[in-house]
Amino acid sequence: MFTTFRKLSSPGSKIVKRLQSTLVVAEHDNDKILPITRNTITAAGKVGGDISLLVAGDNCAKAVAEAGTLPGISKVLTADNPCFKGFLAESITSLIIACHNQFKYSHIMAGATAQGKALLPRVAALLDVSPVSDIIGIAGPDTFIRTIYAGNAVMTLKCKDPVKVLTVRGTAFAPAEGEGSPAKEDAPTGDYKAPGTTFVAQEIKKSDRPELTAAKIIISGGRGMKSGDNFKLLYTLADKLGAAVGASRAAVDAGFVSNDLQIGQTGKIVAPELYIAIGISGAIQHLAGMKDSKTIVAINKDPEAPIFQVADYGLVEDLFKAVPELTEKI
Amino acid sequence: MARVLVGVKRVIDYAVKIRVKPDKSGVLTDGVKHSMNPFDEIAVEEAVRLKEKKIASEVIAVSCGPTQSQETLRTALAMGVDRGIHVDIPAAQMPLLQPIHVSKILAKIAKDEKIDVVIVGKQAIDDDGNQTAQMTAAYLDSPQGVFASKIEKTNGELTITREIDGGLETIKVKLPAVVSADLRLNEPRYATLPNIMKAKKKPIKKLTPKDLGVDTSPRIDIISVKDPPVRKAGSVLPDVDTLVAKLKQEGHL
């Protein structure tokens, strides 16, 4: 067999390297590589073997240039084509399959973001393999750790499929640091136009505050905030701390803030250095999104609120009194 | 008019505090309250609304699981779905039934039933997979509109607003298409007693994966299922000054 032949012809130490090769799908906005890509590169590094980074986009020269400085990867594959406008999963899937057909990866990875989650299961289906979502650990080239039941159980599983298709929880892996100088190569060309899907528009909320999933400090508000206007209290505190602002589902459903701020099982998963939960009771679905934060502070007037069971520091006080006081004193 | 297929999963109720089995092989499910996956309720609601808007002609619900999955199907029927298909999976096989298997089953049924729109929830709250819609779309070689918070039909296409990181995105998809429902797509209705009674008369067809030609052999081995690390109990502080002092001490400020 092919693998046996390789074994015989190459020194032992190289076997693993030869057998494992990972394609990381870069997430970017055409101008810059998003931070999650660095976390994903770290995860890929734990598998061993060569790592290639795929940068596909429409007018993405700047992102490609930045990719050419990333550490830990040996090659950047680029595909700059109008059909990748909007990063439609249908288009990029075809490209990834073409890359895989040429280079035969053992692992294909992306960050477990809205984009990665939309894309990789489609890729896995076409390769007839079962993808593994949102991994938080890598115990071996085919053994992965992920959470189930909103983070209330941790599963270690062994993947039996020949190609491992994985999305990576960014907060579970440190970002790859430093600079590198990977080789650049064009991705295989082909017709990658999505036949039935058209990108119409994107509406991205602009904010000067740090991005939620990458922020070191997060101030989060819940139902206890009582109104959208009252979130100003949190913005003032956040600006003083250089923090991002998040929310519980209750706050989003009540219309206090937009849904892209939602933290939890169905929103974003964060693990900042400091998480300050304000007026949040701490339902299991919310805890799923933040309980790996290093330090958790809860401010809630209800001493029975479940959030106090995970909080390192709790303050049983009316938030409308405590938050302005906190803002003033820091 | 479109024919709609909606996928529903029976899961441990979202409000239940789950318990890991002492032998670390999985999660205790016996005697635990189950209900329809909340995202699937939203999918069913949307399918029924499509029918009410005369966009859909027939809505069929499918559930893959043990016999009790028929209760989940009855709930969907009581919400307004026309008929059900139960794909029987023995309870013992459920932990190793993956989205790859379910999506192959859904794709086969969608072809057999000449379906135009498949709607499923964006993820099941037990395995938190978030894969089935994407994989079903791949097997049907059709467009996908995942994490949808708004669906409109215009000129034979669907205009879908998607929840993405940082905001919203709009795409148009040609039919047939697969859609996954995000939380904000709609507010599912409660089944009324008369509708629950009516649902008992609606047909549920029983099939097996074998009938559909789908191989459900496991793709993973479960090595272990454990409790997550427990956070050590914290302390309740008397006032804001103490909190500020603690945060300074830990280097956060």
Side-chain angles (χ1 to χ4, degrees):
Chain A
M1 267 170 68
F2 193 43
T3 48
T4 318
F5 170 76
R6 277 187 166 171
K7 234 179 214 171
L8 292 173
S9 64
S10 60
S13 65
K14 283 199 175 159
I15 292 173
V16 174
K17 272 202 158 168
R18 286 255 182 134
L19 291 179
Q20 313 297 340
S21 64
T22 300
L23 179 69
V24 171
V25 184
E27 188 158 343
H28 63 91
D29 61 6
N30 290 320
D31 289 337
K32 56 183 189 306
I33 301 284
L34 299 187
I36 182 78
T37 305
R38 284 182 180 261
N39 306 92
T40 312
I41 290 170
T42 299
K46 292 190 187 300
V47 166
D50 282 344
I51 303 170
S52 297
L53 186 75
L54 176 65
V55 183
D58 173 28
N59 272 323
C60 60
K62 281 185 190 164
V64 170
E66 189 186 339
T69 67
L70 290 176
I73 52 175
S74 53
K75 186 162 70 178
V76 176
L77 286 169
T78 66
D80 196 337
N81 189 309
C83 69
F84 300 124
K85 184 174 165 41
F87 309 104
L88 294 174
E90 293 84 339
S91 291
I92 300 178
T93 296
S94 310
L95 171 67
I96 293 172
I97 299 292
C99 292
H100 179 71
N101 287 342
Q102 183 168 343
F103 298 108
K104 308 288 179 209
Y105 299 104
S106 60
H107 295 70
I108 300 174
M109 292 188 189
T113 57
Q115 199 184 109
K117 288 173 182 175
L119 175 64
L120 284 207
R122 193 170 175 109
V123 171
L126 295 183
L127 296 172
D128 193 24
V129 304
S130 179
V132 186
S133 298
D134 221 344
I135 59 166
I136 61 166
I138 296 175
D142 59 358
T143 308
F144 310 103
I145 305 165
R146 61 184 299 269
T147 63
I148 53 175
Y149 290 93
N152 286 294
V154 180
M155 179 192 271
T156 302
L157 64 98
K158 191 174 164 187
C159 215
K160 295 176 161 191
D161 288 313
V163 184
K164 281 71 179 168
V165 177
L166 313 159
T167 56
V168 173
R169 182 173 297 180
T171 57
F173 298 89
E177 302 279 4
E179 289 207 357
S181 52
K184 279 190 200 165
E185 193 176 314
D186 287 335
T189 51
D191 178 13
Y192 302 126
K193 200 173 177 321
T197 314
T198 323
F199 173 79
V200 180
Q202 254 184 17
E203 194 188 311
I204 301 289
K205 295 269 179 325
K206 291 276 175 227
S207 167
D208 295 335
R209 291 184 196 91
E211 205 270 317
L212 206 44
T213 55
K216 289 204 159 43
I217 304 179
I218 295 174
I219 318 283
S220 218
R223 198 195 306 274
M225 295 306 298
K226 294 206 170 88
S227 79
D229 270 354
N230 290 335
F231 260 75
K232 282 181 194 146
L233 289 174
L234 305 194
Y235 297 138
T236 314
L237 177 59
D239 291 343
K240 211 161 171 187
L241 288 167
V245 172
S248 70
R249 184 185 162 190
V252 173
D253 283 352
F256 301 169
V257 290
S258 64
N259 60 281
D260 52 300
L261 297 190
Q262 185 183 325
I263 291 166
Q265 184 183 23
T266 61
K268 294 196 170 64
I269 291 167
V270 298
E273 296 283 313
L274 176 62
Y275 188 89
I276 308 183
I278 299 172
I280 291 178
S281 65
I284 50 176
Q285 290 80 8
H286 184 73
L287 302 184
M290 46 64 79
K291 68 179 178 183
D292 292 326
S293 304
K294 195 154 170 265
T295 302
I296 298 173
V297 172
I299 302 177
N300 202 307
K301 64 182 175 190
D302 174 13
E304 303 298 317
I307 191 79
F308 287 118
Q309 289 163 24
V310 300
D312 299 280
Y313 302 115
L315 202 56
V316 181
E317 210 171 301
D318 185 350
L319 71 92
F320 295 104
K321 184 177 163 288
V323 174
E325 191 183 342
L326 182 61
T327 309
E328 194 192 302
K329 287 182 174 165
I330 55 174
Chain B
M1 284 210 288
R3 294 172 57 75
V4 177
L5 185 71
V6 56
V8 293
K9 185 175 187 182
R10 175 182 178 265
V11 298
I12 293 182
D13 190 86
Y14 74 96
V16 170
K17 176 93 183 80
I18 60 118
R19 287 170 60 203
V20 166
K21 286 184 188 168
D23 69 357
K24 311 281 181 234
S25 67
V27 164
L28 283 168
T29 55
D30 288 348
V32 175
K33 187 188 177 197
H34 283 66
S35 45
M36 189 191 295
N37 177 42
F39 289 99
D40 299 348
E41 287 185 12
I42 297 168
V44 169
E45 175 66 31
E46 196 65 19
V48 172
R49 287 185 191 188
L50 289 176
K51 196 176 171 197
E52 289 166 348
K53 286 186 224 160
K54 313 265 185 239
I55 292 170
S57 54
E58 187 182 26
V59 180
I60 305 168
V62 181
S63 191
C64 304
T67 313
Q68 297 95 314
S69 297
Q70 293 191 11
E71 295 160 19
T72 309
L73 283 171
R74 288 284 168 214
T75 307
L77 296 174
M79 288 172 73
V81 167
D82 298 303
R83 61 187 170 95
I85 299 175
H86 170 219
V87 181
D88 190 35
I89 312 284
Q93 284 179 22
M94 279 308 284
L96 290 170
L97 189 81
Q98 302 271 290
I100 188 172
H101 306 121
V102 175
S103 55
K104 284 180 178 180
I105 289 168
L106 291 179
K108 179 67 169 58
I109 293 173
K111 278 181 189 158
D112 290 351
E113 298 280 353
K114 300 190 167 42
I115 294 296
D116 303 294
V117 183
V118 179
I119 311 181
V120 296
K122 84 161 177 183
Q123 76 191 62
I125 60 163
D126 51 2
D127 66 13
D128 283 333
N130 196 333
Q131 301 172 347
T132 301
Q134 298 87 316
M135 300 186 83
T136 305
Y139 290 127
L140 290 169
D141 194 20
S142 71
Q144 62 182 47
V146 292
F147 327 145
S149 58
K150 198 172 167 191
I151 303 172
E152 289 169 308
K153 191 161 187 238
T154 38
N155 305 327
E157 286 187 322
L158 295 181
T159 301
I160 295 170
T161 305
R162 301 182 52 224
E163 307 235 345
I164 55 167
D165 298 333
L168 297 169
E169 172 179 293
T170 310
I171 56 168
K172 278 188 178 174
V173 297
K174 289 202 172 85
L175 301 184
V178 181
V179 179
S180 78
D182 214 319
L183 274 178
R184 266 156 291 276
L185 182 58
N186 59 49
E187 187 126 337
R189 70 193 65 189
Y190 289 103
T192 59
L193 188 61
N195 285 343
I196 293 170
M197 299 312 287
K198 266 187 234 164
K200 290 187 178 174
K201 295 203 181 82
K202 291 183 181 175
I204 292 180
K205 182 161 80 176
K206 191 168 165 177
L207 294 172
T208 65
K210 211 176 158 195
D211 297 332
L212 297 162
V214 174
D215 175 12
T216 53
S217 42
R219 300 301 191 99
I220 61 164
D221 287 331
I222 297 171
I223 309 286
S224 68
V225 175
K226 295 179 183 168
D227 285 311
V230 184
R231 288 189 79 94
K232 61 173 170 50
S235 51
V236 170
L237 307 176
D239 51 34
V240 170
D241 289 322
T242 321
L243 175 60
V244 172
K246 287 282 185 192
L247 294 179
K248 279 190 177 147
Q249 195 185 325
E250 288 202 3
H252 293 304
L253 302 179

